[in-house]
Amino acid sequence: MHRRLLALGFAATLALPVLAQQAPVPAWQQSRSGSTNASPLAPHPPKLTATAAEQVPVAALRVPAGFKVELWASGAPGARMMTESPNGTVFVGTRTIGRVYAISEEGGQRRVRTIASRLTDPNGVALRDGNLYVIAINRVLRFDGIEGRLDAPGTPTDLTAAFGLPTETHHGWKFAAFGPDGRLYMNIGVPCNICEFNRDTHALIVSFNPDDSGRRIEAKGIRNSVGFDWHPTTRELWATNNGRDWAGNDTPDDTLHRIRQSGADQGFPYCAANWRDPAISRGPASCSEFSAPAALLGPHTAALGMRFYTGTAFPEAYRNQIFIARRGSWNREQLSGYDVVVARLDANGTVTGVEPFMTGLRDEAKNRFLGRPVDVLVRGDGSLLVSDEQNGAIYRITHGN
Amino acid sequence: MAHRLPAAAALLAAVALASAGAAAGDAGRGAALAEARGCGGCHGPQGVSAMENIPSLAGHPDEFIALQLILFREGLRDVPPMTQLAQGLTDQEVEDLAAFYAGLPAGHVERPPRDPARYQAGAVLAERLRCGACHLADFRGRAQMPRLTGQREDYLAHALAEYRDGTRRGTDTNMNAVMFGVTDAEIAALAHFMAQQ
């Protein structure tokens, strides 16, 4: 036992730029030590079969007074990141099941089409000038004129070589979106739980010109950001981030970051949520040289998709506030997250609080979950969509009536 | 360590309840479908395989069976003939087959006699690689992680080599990381140890 602890401590301390596939310990188990060594916690399994509409737990969902939540679409197993076309078609990325869906309104019903499949974690979907970009792990595809070709999307243009993304699978899935500057932004996660690595190639948010040239680092030292958006008036980039595992039930928090300058350093692997991580002995002694997070989002909650509310259908108090989907924890004995929260910003862009918005998917008494919210999307009509990966469903939240 | 086990076991029970959408499969329909599709021709009529390199399916967690069938159907796990045989299966059929095989008793038609040296080497490796952390201490599996006991030794060795060589991944890449750098001789020992449980 002692020998194992020592060996783990040694590995955690020395952790050179070792990539996930070269390590004898699976990435999600790295840096287990002490009391966590005996822990039976492990990532929850995905569900890849369709959940029938009547079995989607929409009746359990709770939203503030005046709001209404309903099932908008189902039968899209593994539904994660969303983007909407000007026509109202919602494109949805996935991870394990390898598909991209297009969900359109037809006669008051939603029709789910699978427009791409057999991809490795095609999590990132982004639209520009009628073309759909799909970012899988180390694959970048562009489906031109997708709206008019939903039944036969044709062979996409393969931009993989041009983008030249890293090939690691762990934390290699992408969130992708076009910024107000017309550039394509995406995250490049770190291929471990906690390790030292090349800080110019991993733990980044990067941007490209749409033609794949001109890579620029937009945020540095951000462990794995699977959701970001731009402030509607200041145009500053804001991003969620997933904190590391196996540092305890309450350490560290997941975080919300305000990227004040392009390339600003958020501190990983040295710092997370204002906490100097003792697993990394080299580097600065304190966190003062890094950007402090704009808000703490709870330990292990898996804060992922986030969007500023830009619509007018919700009360004025929600304008330019941030909705954040928290997919929910696995590395915590008491489950946390499994909800949508709203971060309240004052006129200076300072976060004044983080409040629950959509709850009901976490059963606290039985320590179990009913669904896993991954992304939020403000539609053209001002309603808010929430994707539930576990149930392959999308909820719609409206106000009034 | 031992004094922590009860707490760990209690937590495990809680975590086992954590996942949503327990499979809604019907074992009876699954049995009929397995019969109609001739699954037993290779995997054995009761899910216990008598064929070299063909896995036994009896007693796996239903989630494991369902997820693997979907990986076959989606072309994400490309293993002839299963990739073809899984085409056209509906989600309900996948869950029915999973319920059927999960309910069958695990076992062996026959297995090689125990080799004490390889068994011991395999036991040490199983401890070093911490197989029991996910597959549970008695290796019966849970959720997306398959049962290891009752599996054919040749198939275990085959699957472990595929994970090591990166020609197979599960619903994530954890097994690829576990098997990194494990030698052929170590795989043989590990497979022998597991098949003897």
Side-chain angles (χ1 to χ4, degrees):
Chain A
M1 191 68 224
H2 265 293
R3 210 173 308 147
R4 183 192 286 170
L5 283 181
L6 283 174
L8 275 176
F10 183 71
T13 316
L14 275 198
L16 297 165
V18 171
L19 302 182
Q21 65 265 43
Q22 296 171 315
V25 174
W28 70 271
Q29 284 192 18
Q30 286 164 8
S31 298
R32 285 172 77 150
S33 63
S35 61
T36 63
N37 243 348
S39 169
L41 294 173
H44 305 302
K47 182 173 185 288
L48 302 184
T49 47
T51 302
E54 62 272 19
Q55 288 176 347
V56 175
V58 68
L61 298 176
R62 297 288 175 267
V63 287
F67 289 90
K68 185 178 87 175
V69 58
E70 63 193 324
L71 180 62
W72 184 71
S74 61
R80 285 177 56 100
M81 276 28 210
M82 300 180 285
T83 189
E84 184 187 32
S85 77
N87 284 359
T89 300
V90 176
F91 296 92
V92 186
T94 66
R95 284 191 48 201
T96 307
I97 201 165
R99 297 177 181 170
V100 177
Y101 302 107
I103 306 180
S104 49
E105 308 257 13
E106 289 185 14
Q109 305 285 313
R110 259 63 60 193
R111 176 169 175 193
V112 180
R113 292 177 175 87
T114 300
I115 57 165
S117 58
R118 301 193 174 205
L119 297 168
T120 303
D121 292 40
N123 191 59
V125 287
L127 280 163
R128 179 83 182 164
D129 299 332
N131 302 331
L132 176 70
Y133 289 70
V134 173
I135 324 289
I137 293 179
N138 200 34
R139 279 198 89 182
V140 182
L141 304 175
R142 194 186 70 220
F143 294 82
D144 292 341
I146 187 66
E147 191 76 51
R149 308 168 70 181
L150 294 179
D151 287 318
T155 304
T157 302
D158 193 327
L159 303 171
T160 305
F163 276 84
L165 297 171
T167 57
E168 292 90 1
T169 52
H170 190 70
H171 292 161
W173 50 94
K174 306 291 184 293
F175 175 78
F178 280 95
D181 55 3
R183 293 171 65 84
L184 179 58
Y185 287 64
M186 65 188 75
N187 61 306
I188 299 179
V190 73
C192 63
N193 176 29
I194 174 74
C195 61
E196 292 185 61
F197 54 92
N198 183 338
R199 300 186 82 238
D200 292 320
T201 61
H202 291 81
L204 303 173
I205 295 173
V206 296
S207 71
F208 297 86
N209 292 319
D211 68 355
D212 64 53
S213 67
R215 175 184 180 273
R216 190 167 75 201
I217 292 177
E218 301 291 351
K220 191 170 176 172
I222 190 158
R223 182 175 172 274
N224 196 30
S225 171
V226 193
F228 45 78
D229 197 10
W230 291 265
H231 190 285
T233 57
T234 69
R235 292 190 159 199
E236 276 178 332
L237 175 65
W238 290 63
T240 59
N241 182 46
N242 287 261
R244 64 166 283 202
D245 302 313
W246 301 121
N249 280 328
D250 296 320
T251 309
D253 272 62
D254 284 2
T255 40
L256 176 67
H257 296 260
R258 176 182 183 180
I259 316 298
R260 292 167 184 265
Q261 305 94 30
S262 181
D265 195 335
Q266 311 300 305
F268 185 81
Y270 310 109
C271 292
N274 304 318
W275 170 68
R276 179 65 178 85
D277 193 328
I280 304 293
S281 56
R282 292 194 289 192
S286 83
C287 298
S288 58
E289 70 180 69
F290 303 116
S291 306
L296 304 182
L297 297 175
H300 308 295
T301 52
L304 303 181
M306 58 156 279
R307 316 275 174 167
F308 285 90
Y309 186 73
T310 50
T312 55
F314 288 7
E316 179 66 29
Y318 287 90
R319 201 75 41 83
N320 297 351
Q321 313 287 288
I322 311 174
F323 286 107
I324 304 169
R326 303 196 302 176
R327 183 172 180 252
S329 64
W330 65 265
N331 193 240
R332 192 171 193 272
E333 293 179 39
Q334 189 70 31
L335 297 180
S336 58
Y338 301 92
D339 56 13
V340 174
V341 296
V342 58
R344 297 285 188 182
L345 275 61
D346 67 16
N348 299 319
T350 302
V351 178
T352 56
V354 178
E355 302 166 3
F357 185 72
M358 190 192 86
T359 58
L361 292 175
R362 179 165 52 85
D363 179 344
E364 192 145 0
K366 293 180 178 159
N367 201 30
R368 67 184 191 121
F369 63 84
L370 305 176
R372 308 197 77 178
V374 167
D375 200 13
V376 285
L377 181 71
V378 183
R379 296 197 81 196
D381 65 4
S383 63
L384 185 75
L385 298 184
V386 180
S387 62
D388 177 349
E389 181 180 16
Q390 199 74 15
N391 292 297
I394 296 175
Y395 310 115
R396 178 173 183 252
I397 301 174
T398 52
H399 186 265
N401 302 320
Chain B
M1 199 49 138
H3 66 280
R4 283 215 193 94
L5 283 177
L11 175 58
L12 183 57
V15 170
L17 290 171
S19 55
D26 180 294
R29 284 199 308 253
L33 184 59
E35 174 75 24
R37 292 225 168 196
C39 307
C42 291
H43 293 284
Q46 290 300 303
V48 177
S49 164
M51 288 179 71
E52 187 177 351
N53 279 336
I54 301 294
S56 292
L57 304 180
H60 280 296
D62 52 6
E63 276 185 285
F64 168 76
I65 302 259
L67 290 167
Q68 294 301 316
L69 280 170
I70 289 175
L71 294 183
F72 286 129
R73 184 188 71 189
E74 300 292 319
L76 300 169
R77 183 178 168 198
D78 194 5
V79 182
M82 278 307 299
T83 309
Q84 290 73 30
L85 292 170
Q87 296 309 307
L89 283 175
T90 65
D91 285 354
Q92 186 63 58
E93 289 172 330
V94 163
E95 293 190 338
D96 291 345
L97 285 169
F100 169 58
Y101 282 112
L104 295 175
H108 290 273
V109 175
E110 56 179 343
R111 59 181 162 184
R114 181 177 296 197
D115 173 332
R118 277 203 302 153
Y119 183 93
Q120 183 54 32
V124 170
L125 273 165
E127 174 66 20
R128 189 189 94 197
L129 299 174
R130 297 156 72 190
C131 309
C134 288
H135 296 272
L136 299 185
D138 63 1
F139 308 120
R140 72 177 186 276
R142 61 174 160 133
Q144 78 272 43
M145 298 162 286
R147 167 181 284 278
L148 303 176
T149 63
Q151 190 51 273
R152 291 182 61 89
E153 182 175 327
D154 51 18
Y155 180 75
L156 285 167
H158 170 74
L160 290 170
E162 283 192 315
Y163 282 122
R164 177 195 61 191
D165 298 338
T167 54
R168 174 177 175 182
R169 55 180 286 192
T171 48
D172 54 45
T173 54
N174 291 319
M175 276 302 295
N176 306 94
V178 170
M179 293 307 295
F180 179 81
V182 179
T183 67
D184 286 345
E186 288 173 327
I187 284 176
L190 203 50
H192 184 67
F193 168 74
M194 289 297 176
Q196 292 291 323
Q197 299 304 302

